[in-house]
Amino acid sequence: MTAVSGSTQVSTSGVSATVTQVSGGTGYTSVPTVTFSAPEVSTGTTATGTAVIGETAGVLSIASDPDGTGYSDKTTVEITAPDLASGVQATATVVVADDDTIAGFVVTEAGSGYTTTPGVTVVDSDPTPGKGAVATATLTDTAALGLVTHIIVDQAGSGYESVPTISITGGGGSGASFTAALANTVTIAGTGIRLSLSGHQTAGGQIKLAYSVASGDTCEAKRGSITLNKSG
């Protein structure tokens, strides 16, 4: 809402810093683009924000089942590359038992940037290589992988008369959904005066408003309330 008193313009402050997650979506491998809808007031500015995706995982451990047979001391393990280009390749070594089966694996570098479980291949470069071992990796905590966990409001914008919509595009995923809220503060241009307003309607039809007025960063806010009675 925009109002004019004399030559002083008052405009809404824009989007609240609190943006609520409806769904984090799935499959995001890079930061998607966040777009707020434009304000209704022609002189307003559009809010902007930045999405944050869940931390990417590394390799926690590797196990084999079955353990195969005939493996030599030349046996190594290959782990597929991380999903994200900025990720770090995980590495591991193989422990071969006295009976030439796979006894276990030692993760030497957990890596990062894995959004899905990597493939693991046991390779024996001996002329008569071992065979039969099937290895699988386990990632570190995956609860937030591929999700948009929250949105940071970079610029609140101004001139919004209703709550803007938020669209989230790109990033390799889909389904992320967030809702915005309007800040309940108006600023009188050129004065540093800020007005915060909240209210509710009673069962009897009265409208009760609470307000807080502050000027500058150090002045104590003045607070009060107004009751509007139902006419007629």
Side-chain angles (χ1 to χ4, degrees):
M1 177 180 67
T2 298
V4 175
S5 175
S7 60
T8 302
Q9 185 178 19
V10 180
S11 60
T12 58
S13 63
V15 175
S16 167
T18 302
V19 177
T20 303
Q21 184 197 71
V22 177
S23 171
T26 184
Y28 291 94
T29 56
S30 61
V31 176
T33 300
V34 175
T35 305
F36 288 84
S37 58
E40 291 84 355
V41 177
S42 60
T43 56
T45 57
T46 302
T48 62
T50 302
V52 178
I53 60 174
E55 292 292 331
T56 58
V59 174
L60 177 66
S61 62
I62 300 173
S64 60
D65 185 16
D67 296 327
T69 58
Y71 286 96
S72 71
D73 58 4
K74 297 179 181 180
T75 303
T76 58
V77 60
E78 297 177 351
I79 304 171
T80 55
D83 302 282
L84 302 186
S86 58
V88 175
Q89 175 68 51
T91 59
T93 58
V94 183
V95 178
V96 178
D98 292 339
D99 62 358
D100 297 336
T101 61
I102 301 299
F105 301 85
V106 177
V107 176
T108 54
E109 170 59 63
S112 64
Y114 290 94
T115 60
T116 57
T117 302
V120 180
T121 304
V122 178
V123 179
D124 187 355
S125 59
D126 191 81
T128 55
K131 59 183 179 179
V134 177
T136 55
T138 299
L139 294 179
T140 54
D141 184 23
T142 59
L145 287 184
L147 306 182
V148 178
T149 57
H150 60 284
I151 291 175
I152 299 170
V153 176
D154 299 317
Q155 297 292 331
S158 64
Y160 285 98
E161 295 178 343
S162 59
V163 175
T165 59
I166 302 173
S167 63
I168 300 172
T169 56
S174 62
S177 175
F178 285 74
T179 57
L182 290 184
N184 62 346
T185 302
V186 296
T187 300
I188 301 177
T191 67
I193 296 174
R194 302 183 304 279
L195 170 64
S196 297
L197 188 67
S198 62
H200 67 280
Q201 187 171 21
T202 68
Q206 288 182 321
I207 296 177
K208 293 184 177 291
L209 302 174
Y211 65 85
S212 172
V213 181
S215 177
D217 296 327
T218 58
C219 292
E220 181 180 355
K222 304 298 183 182
R223 295 177 172 83
S225 62
I226 302 171
T227 299
L228 303 178
N229 293 311
K230 185 177 180 181
S231 61

